């Protein structure tokens, strides 16, 4: 049973527009929520995170929103650039119950020039 | 150079063979991890280590063995490779375990094919 779900395998967006990537989780005990970005033939790289006590965290063009009541996490990229084309993994982390970091299946983002 | 390096980058092996994937990090991070990436499953944790000589199972440990005699090295061994172990393997390191607020640092991966 997947604890972290990214229901959209892929997303295509026009350059300059907003990209919204979504993630749902099942366990309310997680402490941190993260997004990783992965280019082909490279390892994932950490992008942005948010604590469970916050509902928004912004870093430049990237904003992560957390809706704890809905157990939903989203990443907004504004404006989208062709270099943002990659696979984005949602991840959840916490110390409770021995959890480590659990990853979703990923969403492939295509940003068209 | 500082960082986390995996070797080899690509490996083809036969069913039943033993194969070891290497991981080396230069930050002296306490925690190290092995994940496998498969289509539709994302990244799944195989084993992790909290320090030298301390290791523990993750989500999919069967068929794998790890060791950590030195802080900087965390090799992953497939004792008798099977086709289901064909995957891309990523090593990662971090100062924290479950907290993870600063994220893990990943290596570039090893693409393993078992024929």
């Amino acid at each position: 049973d997947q604890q972290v779900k990214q229901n959209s395998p892929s997303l295509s967006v026009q350059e300059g527009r907003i990209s919204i990537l979504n993630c749902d989780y099942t366990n309310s005990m997680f402490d941190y929520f993260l997004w990783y970005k992965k280019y082909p033939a490279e390892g994932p790289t950490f992008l942005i995170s948010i604590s469970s006590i916050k509902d928004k965290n912004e870093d430049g063009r990237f904003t992560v929103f957390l809706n704890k009541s809905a157990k939903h996490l989203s990443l907004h990229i504004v404006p989208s650039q062709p270099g943002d084309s990659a696979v984005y993994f949602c991840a959840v982390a916490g110390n409770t119950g021995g959890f480590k970091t659990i990853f979703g299946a990923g969403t492939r983002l295509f940003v068209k020039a | 150079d500082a960082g986390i390096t995996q070797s080899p980058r690509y490996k083809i092996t036969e069913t039943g063979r033993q194969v070891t994937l290497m991981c080396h990090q230069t930050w002296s991070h306490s925690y190290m991890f092995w994940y496998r990436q498969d289509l539709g499953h994302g990244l799944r944790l195989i084993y992790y280590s909290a320090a030298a000589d301390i290791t523990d199972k993750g989500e999919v440990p069967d068929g794998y063995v790890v060791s950590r005699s030195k802080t900087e090295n965390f090799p992953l061994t497939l004792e008798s490779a099977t086709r289901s172990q064909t995957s891309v393997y990523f090593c990662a390191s971090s100062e924290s375990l479950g907290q993870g607020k600063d994220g893990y640092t990943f290596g570039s991966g090893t693409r393993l094919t078992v024929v």
Side-chain angles (χ1 to χ4, degrees):
Chain A
D1 188 26
Q2 289 184 313
Q3 298 189 62
V4 182
K5 293 184 180 179
Q6 295 179 255
N7 292 319
S8 298
S10 65
L11 173 68
S12 184
V13 172
Q14 197 69 36
E15 180 180 9
R17 305 294 290 270
I18 185 171
S19 295
I20 300 176
L21 296 96
N22 294 303
C23 177
D24 297 300
Y25 60 95
T26 57
N27 192 316
S28 60
M29 300 298 285
F30 295 123
D31 299 314
Y32 288 95
F33 303 85
L34 309 96
W35 286 94
Y36 286 80
K37 177 179 180 179
K38 184 185 179 304
Y39 291 118
E42 295 183 10
T45 56
F46 169 70
L47 186 59
I48 190 170
S49 68
I50 186 169
S51 164
S52 60
I53 63 173
K54 296 186 176 181
D55 56 16
K56 177 182 175 181
N57 187 28
E58 190 173 352
D59 184 3
R61 296 185 297 113
F62 302 91
T63 302
V64 56
F65 294 93
L66 177 63
N67 182 335
K68 286 198 299 181
S69 61
K71 296 188 179 67
H72 181 80
L73 182 70
S74 64
L75 175 68
H76 293 208
I77 306 173
V78 181
S80 300
Q81 300 174 353
D84 296 329
S85 297
V87 176
Y88 289 80
F89 290 101
C90 165
V92 298
N95 290 320
T96 306
F99 290 130
K100 277 67 71 177
T101 298
I102 302 171
F103 289 81
T107 296
R108 184 176 297 276
L109 174 67
F110 299 94
V111 180
K112 297 175 288 185
Chain B
D1 287 346
I4 183 165
T5 56
Q6 293 184 237
S7 61
R9 287 299 308 271
Y10 303 92
K11 177 73 176 179
I12 300 174
T13 191
E14 294 178 341
T15 301
R17 296 260 191 185
Q18 183 182 83
V19 60
T20 296
L21 310 184
M22 305 300 293
C23 179
H24 175 79
Q25 55 110 350
T26 59
W27 292 297
S28 299
H29 282 166
S30 299
Y31 294 94
M32 296 188 75
F33 310 85
W34 275 106
Y35 283 87
R36 59 179 288 175
Q37 183 193 5
D38 303 290
L39 194 63
H41 291 280
L43 295 160
R44 292 182 292 174
L45 182 64
I46 305 170
Y47 269 96
Y48 71 100
S49 169
D53 298 321
I54 300 175
T55 62
D56 204 353
K57 296 178 180 179
E59 181 185 357
V60 288
D62 293 342
Y64 302 96
V65 174
V66 293
S67 63
R68 195 161 176 212
S69 57
K70 293 183 178 181
T71 301
E72 61 267 30
N73 295 324
F74 191 39
L76 175 74
T77 298
L78 287 67
E79 296 181 292
S80 177
T82 66
R83 290 194 179 89
S84 66
Q85 292 177 309
T86 293
S87 186
V88 181
Y89 291 85
F90 290 101
C91 178
S93 71
S94 174
E95 270 304 307
S96 65
L97 176 58
Q99 187 175 20
K101 66 180 178 67
D102 296 320
Y104 294 166
T105 303
F106 283 85
S108 298
T110 295
R111 182 176 292 276
L112 177 67
T113 302
V114 183
V115 297

